Amino acid sequence: METKKEILAEFKRLGFSLIDENKVFGSITFGEISIEVTICIDQDFPFKAPIIFLETISGKKELYKNIPYKWRHLDEWVLSQNPRDSKFTICCLHNWVPQGKNNARFICDRIYSWLKSNITETWDPEEDLPTSKIIPKQATVARLILSNEFIESCMKELKPKEKKLYKLIHSKYKFKGTGATSRNGVISNKYALDDIDFNNPYIYFFSDDRETKSTCLDYLINIKSDGGFNHADCLVIRLPSWARFKTLYQLLEYLRVNEYITSKLVRKYNNLPIVVIFRGDKGRTEVVSFLCDKEILNQNGSMKVQMISIDTIPKRQPEIGLNVGLIGVGSLGSNVARLLVNKGVKTLYMSDHDMLKPENLGGHILPSMFLYANKADAVANYLMHHLVKETEIYSGNNDEEVFEKADLLVVTVGDNEAFNKLAFNKLQNYKKPIIWAWVSPHNIIHKMVITSQKTGCLNCFFLLEKKNETLRQINEKVNEELSKLDISYIDLCGNPHTVSFPERMADFAAKIVATISLYAKTKRFEFDYLVEYWDVNTSIPKIFTGLLNVQDECGCEGKGREN
C-alpha cells in the first residue's frame, strides 16, 4: 500500500496539481462533460478513504444551482445558513480498505466511473449502493425526531402538491449574546431566526406523533430542562413525484417558484419550520427539514435557512406475536422481561408478590429509585420509559389474570415454596405451554423445562433426572461444587443472601427468550428441557437438551412425545 507521500507523487504524474501537503486538484472527463475535483488525503491515509470535493462541472462553479437533477451518489455539506455556500463530495470509494490496488490510478478510475454512470444513467450494481436524493450534511445539533408511522400518516393525509400546518414541540431556545432562554410554552415562531443560538442542542417532535412524543418528553426531563418546551407551527409539504431538484438551493427555489411557500403564509412568522416529503432515489420516500425566515421569498436575498437533522424511530413489527405471561420478576425474570420487550413481544403480562429490596440491587435490572416498589409494577414502569414501546405491558400481583391472558407462560419464581405451589397445585392442569426456569447459587447450573399437553409434567422431569445417567452425574457434580462454596452470605442484620452472577443470569435469560422467539415462528419447541452446567473455572457452560416424555412412575395426564 502506498504511503501518503507516494500517492501524492503519483497524482502529480497523472496531471494533478499539488495544492498543499494534503490536497491535489485535477480534472476528469467523460464525453463532453468535464469535472474538476479536489482530493483530500489526510494523515489517516490509507486507513481513511480520501475525500473528493466536486469543484466545477464543465467550467461552472455555482454547483448549488448547476448540479444536474439526476446525478446521484453526491453528498451536500451545508456550511452556513446560506445554501449557496454548500460544498459537494463525490461518493465513489465505497467499501474502502487499505490495500495495494487503492492507489492514485484506482481513485481516478473510480471518479471516472462515477461521472460516466451519472451521464449515462447506468450503474454497476456493486457501485450503486443505497443513496439519498438530498443529504445536507450540516454539523447541526438541531434534530427532528420522527417515527415512520407519522411519515406514513402524512403521506395518507396529504396528496402530492398539498401542504398543511402541523403543531411542533421543541426544547426551549437560547438566544445569542444574552444566553437567555425562551419562555416556557410560548409559540416560538415569533422569534427571529438570527436571534436563536444554534450552537446549543434542540430537539423537535410533532405533537401528533404518538411514537416519539413520550421518548422526547423523557429526554427533556433527563436533560433537566424543567419540563419546559415551546410550541411552533410547522409547514409539512408533500411534493409530487415529478419534482425536480438535487441540491438544497434547488429545492428551495422549487418551493418558491411553485408557491408552496407564499408571502401570505410566511408574513406572520419570524421563523417557520418546514418539513418536505418527496420521492427520492429509486422511488423511496425521503424527508428533509429546515427553519427559514421571510428572506426565503426574496429572490435576491440571502435565502437564510437553518438545517434540522432528522432522526427516525423505525417501525418495528413484533417479532414474538404472542401474549407472554411472566410469573416472578426477580433477577432472572427481569432480564427475561427486558429481552422480550427489546425483541418485540406482542403483550407482556407480569406478576410478582415481592418488592425490590436493597439486596436485589446489582443482579436485578432495576436501579435504586425503584426500591420497595412491587417488582412487576416497577419493571413495567422501567421498560415503558426506557425501551421502544410497541409492546403492551401489564403488571401487578394477580397470577390468575396472567394465567388466563397468556398464550405462553414463563415461571422464574425463585422462592421454593412459591415455585412448588405453582408446579403442583395452581398450574398442575394448565393447558398452555409453560417454560419453567431456575438457577442454583453461584449460577453453577441453570435448568429450563418446557411442559405442555404434548410432554410430561415437571415431576416427570424430576423423575427423569434420577434415571438419566447424564443428568444424574451433572446434579452430583453440582452438589459437590456447591458443598465447597458459601451458597449465601449473611448481612449485618443476620439475613442470608444467595450468591449469583449477573452475566450468567443475562445469558440464561437470552436462551429463554430465544426459545420463545422460535416457538412464536414455528409453533413447536426444539427441546423439552435444557440443562447448562458452568464449571467453576470456565466462562462457557456445557449444555444438555432432551425431550420429556411421561414417566411411568408419575401417572400425569401429559401425552408425551416420541424421541
Side-chain angles (χ1 to χ4, degrees):
M1 187 71 200
E2 293 184 347
T3 65
K4 177 181 173 182
K5 183 177 180 180
E6 290 171 336
I7 200 169
L8 290 174
E10 186 183 0
F11 271 118
K12 287 187 67 176
R13 291 194 296 271
L14 292 173
F16 281 71
S17 302
L18 185 64
I19 299 176
D20 57 33
E21 61 181 10
N22 297 311
K23 300 174 185 175
V24 294
F25 177 84
S27 63
I28 302 287
T29 301
F30 177 80
E32 298 180 355
I33 304 296
S34 177
I35 60 173
E36 292 179 316
V37 297
T38 297
I39 303 174
C40 301
I41 302 172
D42 67 15
Q43 64 272 15
D44 292 327
F45 180 85
F47 303 103
K48 181 181 177 182
I51 300 173
I52 305 166
F53 285 94
L54 180 63
E55 302 291 354
T56 67
I57 301 175
S58 296
K60 297 178 181 178
K61 293 184 178 181
E62 295 176 322
L63 297 178
Y64 61 87
K65 65 179 180 181
N66 289 318
I67 290 179
Y69 300 146
K70 293 184 178 181
W71 278 25
R72 304 172 58 228
H73 299 290
L74 191 67
D75 285 354
E76 179 174 0
W77 295 78
V78 183
L79 302 178
S80 72
Q81 291 184 342
N82 186 348
R84 292 182 175 89
D85 295 335
S86 288
K87 295 289 185 181
F88 299 88
T89 55
I90 294 172
C91 303
C92 64
L93 299 177
H94 304 303
N95 303 320
W96 172 272
V97 291
Q99 56 186 11
K101 71 172 186 177
N102 292 355
N103 52 23
R105 169 55 65 187
F106 171 81
I107 295 170
C108 289
D109 288 345
R110 300 299 300 146
I111 299 172
Y112 176 84
S113 177
W114 173 87
L115 178 60
K116 177 183 176 181
S117 296
N118 270 313
I119 293 172
T120 62
E121 298 183 26
T122 303
W123 291 85
D124 185 320
E126 293 185 2
E127 299 176 9
D128 194 17
L129 299 180
T131 184
S132 295
K133 189 169 186 177
I134 180 169
I135 319 175
K137 291 197 171 184
Q138 183 187 37
T140 175
V141 288
R143 297 183 178 277
L144 171 63
I145 302 179
L146 286 173
S147 69
N148 284 345
E149 286 85 350
F150 183 76
I151 297 172
E152 290 172 2
S153 70
C154 290
M155 296 284 284
K156 291 178 181 178
E157 186 174 3
L158 299 175
K159 296 178 181 178
K161 300 178 66 175
E162 286 189 344
K163 60 188 178 183
K164 179 183 175 181
L165 287 171
Y166 288 80
K167 294 298 181 183
L168 199 65
I169 301 173
H170 64 86
S171 49
K172 294 192 293 186
Y173 286 138
K174 283 192 175 182
F175 300 112
K176 297 176 182 177
T178 64
T181 59
S182 55
R183 289 189 293 112
N184 189 25
V186 302
I187 305 299
S188 65
N189 300 102
K190 71 176 186 177
Y191 299 121
L193 193 62
D194 278 339
D195 293 338
I196 303 170
D197 185 358
F198 285 100
N199 290 315
N200 288 282
Y202 306 109
I203 66 163
Y204 303 77
F205 55 97
F206 286 98
S207 60
D208 292 337
D209 193 347
R210 183 178 60 86
E211 298 299 321
T212 64
K213 190 172 183 179
S214 59
T215 299
C216 294
L217 290 175
D218 286 346
Y219 168 80
L220 292 177
I221 294 172
N222 186 54
I223 63 172
K224 299 179 180 178
S225 67
D226 301 322
F229 50 82
N230 294 146
H231 300 271
D233 287 340
C234 175
L235 182 65
V236 177
I237 301 169
R238 182 182 176 187
L239 296 183
S241 59
W242 58 85
R244 295 290 180 263
F245 59 90
K246 174 56 189 173
T247 70
L248 177 61
Y249 177 89
Q250 292 170 359
L251 170 61
L252 297 174
E253 279 289 286
Y254 183 89
L255 296 177
R256 184 182 62 79
V257 170
N258 290 278
E259 297 187 340
Y260 287 97
I261 305 173
T262 62
S263 58
K264 181 180 179 181
L265 175 68
V266 301
R267 66 187 176 191
K268 64 177 182 178
Y269 300 115
N270 287 322
N271 78 79
L272 179 63
I274 296 179
V275 172
V276 183
I277 304 172
F278 56 92
R279 178 177 291 182
D281 192 59
K282 296 185 177 181
R284 296 181 306 168
T285 298
E286 295 184 32
V287 183
V288 66
S289 178
F290 51 86
L291 283 163
C292 69
D293 61 10
K294 293 181 177 66
E295 290 297 318
I296 195 171
L297 296 176
N298 184 357
Q299 191 171 4
N300 298 316
S302 62
M303 197 183 266
K304 191 174 297 180
V305 168
Q306 172 61 44
M307 294 305 303
I308 302 176
S309 298
I310 293 179
D311 294 326
T312 58
I313 295 180
K315 183 177 182 180
R316 295 197 317 165
Q317 295 294 337
E319 295 185 37
I320 302 177
L322 297 172
N323 301 314
V324 176
L326 181 59
I327 305 296
V329 196
S331 295
L332 177 58
S334 64
N335 276 285
V336 170
R338 175 172 57 186
L339 290 172
L340 282 171
V341 174
N342 265 332
K343 185 75 173 173
V345 68
K346 181 180 178 182
T347 311
L348 178 61
Y349 297 95
M350 295 184 291
S351 178
D352 198 300
H353 297 267
D354 199 6
M355 66 177 68
L356 184 73
K357 299 173 184 175
E359 66 196 60
N360 303 131
L361 298 176
H364 207 281
I365 69 167
L366 291 175
S368 57
M369 63 181 292
F370 291 101
L371 278 174
Y372 303 111
N374 175 273
K375 287 180 179 178
D377 290 338
V379 168
N381 188 7
Y382 177 82
L383 294 178
M384 286 189 290
H385 283 84
H386 291 82
L387 298 179
V388 179
K389 304 170 181 64
E390 277 83 359
T391 296
E392 294 186 40
I393 303 175
Y394 300 92
S395 63
N397 57 9
N398 189 336
D399 292 352
E400 283 69 23
E401 183 179 8
V402 176
F403 300 161
E404 178 186 350
K405 294 184 176 180
D407 300 320
L408 177 147
L409 204 59
V410 181
V411 179
T412 58
V413 174
D415 180 77
N416 288 335
E417 183 178 344
F419 186 92
N420 290 334
K421 187 175 181 181
L422 288 167
F424 304 112
N425 184 2
K426 289 186 175 182
L427 295 173
Q428 193 167 18
N429 297 311
Y430 195 67
K431 304 299 183 184
K432 303 171 189 176
I434 306 174
I435 296 178
W436 306 85
W438 65 96
V439 304
S440 73
H442 289 273
N443 293 91
I444 291 178
I445 193 167
H446 299 163
K447 296 181 181 180
M448 183 197 321
V449 179
I450 303 168
T451 60
S452 69
Q453 290 184 293
K454 296 181 179 180
T455 71
C457 67
L458 196 59
N459 187 53
C460 290
F461 174 74
F462 295 144
L463 292 170
L464 179 65
E465 283 189 302
K466 296 177 182 178
K467 295 190 295 183
N468 184 286
E469 184 67 21
T470 300
L471 296 179
R472 188 173 69 250
Q473 288 180 358
I474 293 172
N475 285 333
E476 289 173 355
K477 197 167 186 179
V478 169
N479 291 332
E480 181 182 344
E481 294 287 350
L482 289 175
S483 67
K484 302 174 185 177
L485 301 169
D486 292 328
I487 62 173
S488 65
Y489 66 91
I490 307 299
D491 65 19
L492 295 175
C493 300
N495 299 314
H497 302 285
T498 302
V499 178
S500 65
F501 295 89
E503 75 280 7
R504 295 184 180 183
M505 205 74 82
D507 178 84
F508 189 36
K511 290 183 175 67
I512 295 170
V513 173
T515 301
I516 297 170
S517 179
L518 182 62
Y519 174 77
K521 295 177 182 177
T522 64
K523 299 305 177 187
R524 62 180 296 274
F525 296 102
E526 59 182 329
F527 56 81
D528 294 335
Y529 68 83
L530 178 148
V531 176
E532 57 180 18
Y533 168 66
W534 298 75
D535 192 272
V536 175
N537 296 315
T538 60
S539 59
I540 303 296
K542 297 176 182 177
I543 299 176
F544 306 88
T545 61
L547 301 179
L548 179 60
N549 287 311
V550 175
Q551 303 299 302
D552 294 336
E553 304 93 317
C554 181
C556 66
E557 296 181 0
K559 297 178 182 178
R561 68 182 187 186
E562 296 299 324
N563 286 299

